[in-house]
Amino acid sequence: METILNYLGYFFVSIGAVFLVLGAFGILRMPDFYTRIQAGTKSSTLGAMSFIFGVGLLEPAWFIKTLVIVVFIAISNPISSHALARGAYKSHHQPYLKDGVDAYKEVENQKEVKL
Amino acid sequence: MNDVFFIVIMSMLVLAGVIAAIRFVKGPTAADRVVAMDNISVIIIATLVFVAYFFQRYIYIDVSLVYAVLGFIGILTIARYLEGGI
Amino acid sequence: MSTFAFIFLLFSVTILIIAAFFAAFKKDLLQAVIATSIISLSLAVIFYILQAPDVALTEAAIGVALSTIVFVLTIRNTKRMEE
Amino acid sequence: MENVSKISRLVYTWVVLFALWMAFTTSLALDEVLVGLAISFVVAAMTFSYFTQIGLKAFSPKKIMYQIQYLIIFIVALVKANFHVAKIVLTPSLPINPGIVEFETKLNSDIAKMILANSITLTPGTFTVDVIENRFYVHWLEVETEDSEKVYKAIAESFEKILLKIYE
Amino acid sequence: MRKLIIAALLIVVAYVLIDAFAEFQFGAERQGIKDYFLEHTPTDLQVANSVTAIIVSYRGFDTLGEVTVLFLAATGISTILYRRRSKHTGLNPLRKSPEASLIVKAAVKLLFPMILILGAYVFVHGHLTPGGGFQGGAIIATGFLLLLISYRQFKVEHSVVMWVESLAGIFFVTIGIFGIIYGPNANFLENFLPVGNLNELMSGGVIGLVYVAVGFKVAAELTGVLDTLVNIRETGDNKETKE
């Protein structure tokens, strides 16, 4: 039992570390702010969650507290990224569009006319 | 096993931190730098938990708990400033 | 403390120094504030590895959120670009 | 949404906060439990009016089943999203075609919208930029369609079905 | 030219620092005071965290001084900024600034009670875990900050803040005076309660009580400062008049 938990723990920690590296790589490679924040948020959230969960499995007495950290990260990380993206759009960061659409632009323009 | 594991994982965390730091130095606008900072702070939360495991000190976990809860408030503040909210 | 922890410590100090230069020489004060919070993050890691969790916790509670907001509010009340 | 009695919401908040306190202390000593009960009661009395809308009903077996189901769907989507991002990042040509699309949701409660937005942020290729009333504006890495009905089907339907059952 | 002078000055400073620290051995034993504390805190006071014992028990009077300094700083900030604020009561530009998104607001509703619980946990367990009154108070103030930045209509009642702060201060001093009355050596802030057992919540004598007082006081002070800072814009004498 002990060894199975240990191996699971090693597995989760390694997966988490790999995704943390990939997330950092993502924010380095992506072309603009919005795509960067997409890559960064997804990978770093799953990476940190799996990493900390893995440490909880390695040390079963810590499991509950690590679970609390995991839950907090799962709530707070997407929120801060969302707020940041919204703030960046409102401070006139144009998204990089290859041939895509920008449905949010109309809302922003309307608002400026109204004021 | 344990020592090798520690070194390998810590090297990966350092690598992730370095890559995010490159984005921090390069990032043309303030928002890009905040994204890099967000990423670095998540990496640091993971590092703190792992170092606590390495030292085998249960009470050290509290620090990373506080980081996980408060880390996003600073980013939220900057985001609110960017959108002209506060 | 193992050798590797020492190397990690040196690495954190390097990031701290880079961020400090950034904070000192950047004309955009908002980016300087972001650099300041990176300083406080790496400082907390340094305290933590030197086994001073009390100080690291204080740094976390003050440096990450409170000092950032005070700086940001100050920038809001003055101006963002340095001349 | 029907009204839920204050007592039920207060007790729900108290239970959740006390569980959180116990998770922080991870000890069953009598003094910890008593202090925790007192502190979580004070905080719950201060904040229950906005902490929860549905009160103790969240603990009914049916809703707990739905919550577990939601969690499983969410975790599967999260893992998929990460492999998706990893694939994009590791491809040298960066195969992306980003854009911002919109769709409408049927959810009413703010917290349900928040959970839906978080889930969208963490699932493959999508990212919530803003929510106005009940319109979601979503940044999509590979835009397939602009039609809001199709967007809704592609992005949000699987999550929203369960959230409607939990929060209505 | 100016840069040259700065560089020369920096070299001088670096030389002085290197000279000063060349003989200095980091971590070396200087006065033997470290061993005293490490030996005596677990047995004298039954406190798991020696740093806390030094701050609150052996050097309790210093802590009272620090809290007073913080109080003076908070009062000073409020005094300076409050005068400005009452000058232009007519305009309220803060009401026009864009609201936070619905998602942030919902998340704040969910997270605020949890942050309060975390802060309470940190300052109640000051003598068992890292942290203490100051950190716990800062965490609680951060929770209020979250409300302040995401809800435009949220207002901190300054009278409540003042009352909490004063009561916490009075409580702190009262504990000190009780030390004079009931303590074995009749000193200010001396421990007069049973010390309990190591690693239990009810250990360390007065340390827990002092930390509760410090926690409330710091939380109230920082919340007041932040509220004042956030609301300066209501005066309208910064951005609006400059641009």
Side-chain angles (χ1 to χ4, degrees), chain D residues 8-159:
Chain D
S8 151
R9 283 156 63 189
L10 174 64
V11 172
Y12 173 76
T13 315
W14 191 10
V15 169
V16 170
L17 293 181
F18 180 65
L20 197 67
W21 172 274
M22 290 315 286
F24 285 153
T25 56
T26 52
S27 123
L28 285 173
L30 185 64
D31 42 2
E32 302 264 15
V33 173
L34 289 179
V35 171
L37 279 174
I39 288 179
S40 49
F41 181 76
V42 171
V43 176
M46 274 165 64
T47 59
F48 77 95
S49 56
Y50 51 80
F51 184 73
T52 173
Q53 300 292 333
I54 53 174
L56 279 175
K57 262 193 242 157
F59 289 140
S60 74
K62 225 164 96 191
K63 296 206 164 174
I64 289 183
M65 279 299 293
Y66 283 129
Q67 283 166 15
I68 293 172
Q69 193 190 352
Y70 188 85
L71 202 67
I72 292 170
I73 292 182
F74 171 70
I75 288 176
V76 169
L78 179 57
V79 173
K80 242 193 252 170
N82 275 279
F83 282 106
H84 180 245
V85 167
K87 203 184 78 192
I88 291 177
V89 167
L90 294 178
T91 314
S93 62
L94 276 184
I96 54 172
N97 175 23
I100 299 180
V101 293
E102 59 172 333
F103 69 88
E104 284 199 11
T105 174
K106 301 190 197 75
L107 294 169
N108 284 322
S109 132
D110 280 2
I111 290 183
K113 281 182 202 165
M114 188 267 282
I115 295 173
L116 180 59
N118 268 10
S119 312
I120 289 174
T121 299
L122 292 176
T123 46
T126 52
F127 187 93
T128 317
V129 176
D130 200 357
V131 180
I132 298 170
E133 302 288 307
N134 52 6
R135 302 187 76 79
F136 274 63
Y137 295 89
V138 175
H139 184 268
W140 203 354
L141 270 188
E142 288 151 330
V143 177
E144 290 157 12
T145 166
E146 295 174 36
D147 186 39
S148 68
E149 279 298 310
K150 283 178 191 159
V151 170
Y152 168 75
K153 278 216 164 54
I155 296 177
E157 199 178 22
S158 56
F159 294 119

Side-chain angles (χ1 to χ4, degrees), chain E residues 213-237:
Chain E
V214 172
F216 274 105
K217 201 165 158 56
V218 170
E221 276 159 2
L222 290 179
T223 309
V225 168
L226 287 172
D227 179 58
T228 322
L229 271 175
V230 167
N231 282 320
I232 311 176
R233 203 187 205 176
E234 297 202 11
T235 61
D237 58 354

